[in-house]
């Protein structure tokens, strides 16, 4: 029997790892709260709370500072097919969004309301406190000149990679400082063949995502379509709204939904206690 088992594992070297993953995932899933409990923010914001508002033209980019405790709402005013973001610790941009850790330690590639965005230092950069669309991609990355040429036959169309390079240069950074991004309003999943694919309809005009800054953040935004989005190249204007959101309480959903998030916020607290990232 032992010899037969050994032959099976040799024939399928991933079987043991898959079984171990499924056992770990089942245990982790059992400890998680129901994400349908996560409540959103008001769709109509009190104008007195709004501190910044900016329109990002179709195909272009934006960068700016979002202070800890404030929330940035990304409004998909025209139903464009994806808006890509990069997040950096404003006090130390060598700490930045880590797509791999964000996905794997929360056991999901479907980032939506109630999830958090981790840095490469194990801290929480931002919480997704609201999401009217419900599907944001951290797997495929943003568009490039090459993907635009392959998809649309035109490498000169504006793309996320080049937008991020330009934004990085404005802040003393370079293309070496560009990690994989998260793309909002992008329903990307894995099909039966194991290939990343756009699944279902994209966002409707007016859909939005709220990101509460958990540290002072330098944010890059690229308003260029996701490389897997169907149809022609047709980005539309988006709106960014920064508002003074209510302080999170001890039972804040994003902070308590998973053990991983709780540890991330503990790392934040230790970091902030050292006098870093303080206003």
């Amino acid at each position: 029997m032992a010899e037969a088992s050994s032959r099976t594992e040799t024939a399928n070297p991933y079987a043991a790892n898959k079984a171990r993953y499924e056992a770990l995932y089942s245990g982790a899933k059992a400890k998680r709260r129901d994400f349908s409990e996560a409540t959103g923010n008001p769709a109509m914001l009190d104008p007195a709370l709004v501190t910044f508002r900016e329109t990002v033209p179709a195909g272009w980019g934006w960068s700016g500072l979002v202070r800890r405790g404030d929330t940035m709402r990304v409004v998909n005013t025209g139903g464009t097919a994806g808006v890509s973001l990069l997040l950096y610790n404003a006090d130390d941009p060598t700490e930045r969004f880590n797509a791999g850790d964000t996905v794997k330690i929360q056991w999901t590639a479907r980032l939506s309301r109630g999830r958090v965005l981790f840095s490469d230092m194990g801290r929480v950069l931002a919480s997704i406190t609201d999401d009217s669309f419900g599907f944001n991609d951290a797997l495929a990355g943003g568009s490039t000149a090459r993907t635009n040429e392959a998809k649309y036959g035109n490498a000169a169309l504006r793309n996320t990679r080049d937008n991020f390079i330009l934004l990085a240069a404005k802040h003393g950074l370079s293309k070496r400082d560009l990690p994989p991004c998260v793309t909002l309003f992008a329903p990307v999943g894995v099909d039966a063949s194991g290939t990343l694919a756009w699944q279902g309809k994209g966002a409707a005009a007016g859909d939005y995502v709220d990101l509460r800054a958990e540290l002072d953040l330098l944010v890059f935004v690229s308003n260029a379509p996701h490389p897997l989005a169907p149809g022609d190249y047709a980005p539309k204007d988006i709106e960014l709204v920064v508002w003074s959101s209510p302080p999170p309480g001890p039972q804040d959903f994003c902070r308590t939904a998973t053990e991983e998030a709780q540890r991330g916020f503990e790392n934040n607290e230790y970091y902030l206690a050292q006098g870093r990232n303080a206003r």
Side-chain angles (χ1 to χ4, degrees):
M1 290 293 291
E3 183 178 349
S5 176
S6 177
R7 285 199 301 269
T8 300
E9 290 186 7
T10 300
N12 184 2
Y14 303 107
N17 287 336
K18 181 179 179 181
R20 182 170 179 270
Y21 168 83
E22 290 176 345
L24 289 169
Y25 178 74
S26 297
K29 188 176 181 181
K31 299 177 183 178
R32 278 162 168 69
R33 293 169 61 185
D34 181 355
F35 275 76
S36 65
E37 298 174 15
T39 57
N41 298 318
M44 298 297 294
L45 297 175
D46 181 348
L49 298 177
V50 175
T51 60
F52 175 84
R53 191 183 296 270
E54 179 81 9
T55 296
V56 182
W60 291 81
W62 173 91
S63 64
L65 181 67
V66 180
R67 293 290 187 181
R68 177 168 57 91
D70 286 349
T71 293
M72 184 176 76
R73 173 168 290 186
V74 182
V75 185
N76 197 335
T77 51
T80 195
V83 177
S84 297
L85 273 68
L86 286 178
L87 309 178
Y88 298 81
N89 180 337
D91 287 347
D92 180 6
T94 61
E95 180 179 9
R96 67 279 308 258
F97 172 66
N98 189 299
D101 285 353
T102 294
V103 167
K104 72 183 180 183
I105 67 179
Q106 294 183 103
W107 300 88
T108 182
R110 183 167 183 162
L111 303 176
S112 58
R113 182 192 299 166
R115 299 294 180 178
V116 298
L117 305 181
F118 282 94
S119 79
D120 50 9
M121 298 297 290
R123 291 186 275 264
V124 178
L125 294 174
S127 298
I128 305 175
T129 55
D130 203 0
D131 180 3
S132 67
F133 180 57
F135 212 144
N136 306 294
D137 172 47
L139 296 177
S143 60
T144 66
R146 181 174 293 182
T147 63
N148 280 351
E149 182 175 23
K151 185 174 179 60
Y152 307 111
N154 187 352
L157 295 170
R158 295 194 64 85
N159 67 81
T160 288
R161 174 71 174 173
D162 288 342
N163 281 344
F164 283 158
I165 290 173
L166 289 172
L167 296 173
K170 293 181 179 180
H171 296 277
L173 303 174
S174 72
K175 61 183 179 182
R176 296 178 62 182
D177 297 299
L178 301 178
C181 63
V182 59
T183 302
L184 310 180
F185 315 111
V188 173
V190 181
D191 64 20
S193 68
T195 302
L196 293 175
W198 190 272
Q199 299 180 335
K201 293 183 179 180
D207 273 330
Y208 64 89
V209 177
D210 279 349
L211 297 170
R212 185 180 64 212
E214 305 296 355
L215 297 175
D216 286 350
L217 299 179
L218 173 62
V219 181
F220 293 175
V221 177
S222 172
N223 185 17
H226 191 283
L228 298 179
D232 297 330
Y233 183 89
K236 300 175 179 64
D237 293 356
I238 62 168
E239 187 175 31
L240 305 179
V241 182
V242 178
W243 58 289
S244 298
S245 48
Q251 296 305 312
D252 179 79
F253 189 91
C254 293
R255 292 174 174 242
T256 61
T258 67
E259 293 180 356
E260 293 81 6
Q262 292 174 38
R263 287 195 291 271
F265 280 106
E266 288 171 0
N267 291 338
N268 280 33
E269 291 169 5
Y270 178 79
Y271 175 77
L272 293 169
Q274 309 309 304
R276 303 180 177 93
N277 214 253
R279 298 196 200 199

